[in-house]
Amino acid sequence: MTDDEVAQIGKALGDPNRLAIYTQIAEHEELFCGEMHAKHVISAPTLSHHLKVLTDLGLITSRKEGLNVYYRALPEKFANYLKYLGQIGSKRNR
């Protein structure tokens, strides 16, 4: 994972709405977009924007079934992000 990727993920998850959306998705195996919209007091276009940012960063993925879109977290990407953060400062101690 590059410094730039880490910075982008940090910036993305620094938005309280986006963090809440990511957390909600990560707590489920899969989540229908309509379920997310019902729990967040944001417009559908704003929710869509947040989902696109998370998707572009590789934190979530989606699949379409008919007219419905389902989202799921990609835990490997988040784990790599945490691993990178965990290594900050530890290189100095070696």
Side-chain angles (χ1 to χ4, degrees):
M1 180 164 284
T2 67
D3 292 349
D4 189 50
E5 286 177 299
V6 170
Q8 288 178 18
I9 291 171
K11 182 179 177 184
L13 296 179
D15 179 285
N17 285 321
R18 202 170 293 135
L19 178 60
I21 292 164
Y22 177 77
T23 301
Q24 185 182 15
I25 294 169
E27 290 174 344
H28 295 84
E29 186 173 321
E30 193 172 64
L31 204 57
F32 166 58
C33 189
E35 294 173 292
M36 286 183 275
H37 188 259
K39 291 196 175 205
H40 298 281
V41 188
I42 56 176
S43 68
T46 300
L47 175 60
S48 179
H49 170 73
H50 288 313
L51 292 168
K52 180 180 180 348
V53 170
L54 294 170
T55 300
D56 290 349
L57 289 171
L59 292 169
I60 63 172
T61 189
S62 64
R63 70 174 179 87
K64 202 167 186 181
E65 187 175 299
L67 298 175
N68 300 322
V69 180
Y70 294 86
Y71 291 88
R72 67 179 177 88
L74 297 172
E76 309 83 32
K77 184 75 169 204
F78 192 73
N80 289 336
Y81 171 70
L82 293 178
K83 180 179 176 186
Y84 183 101
L85 292 178
Q87 292 174 346
I88 294 174
S90 66
K91 293 176 185 173
R92 183 184 70 205
N93 297 328
R94 288 184 187 169

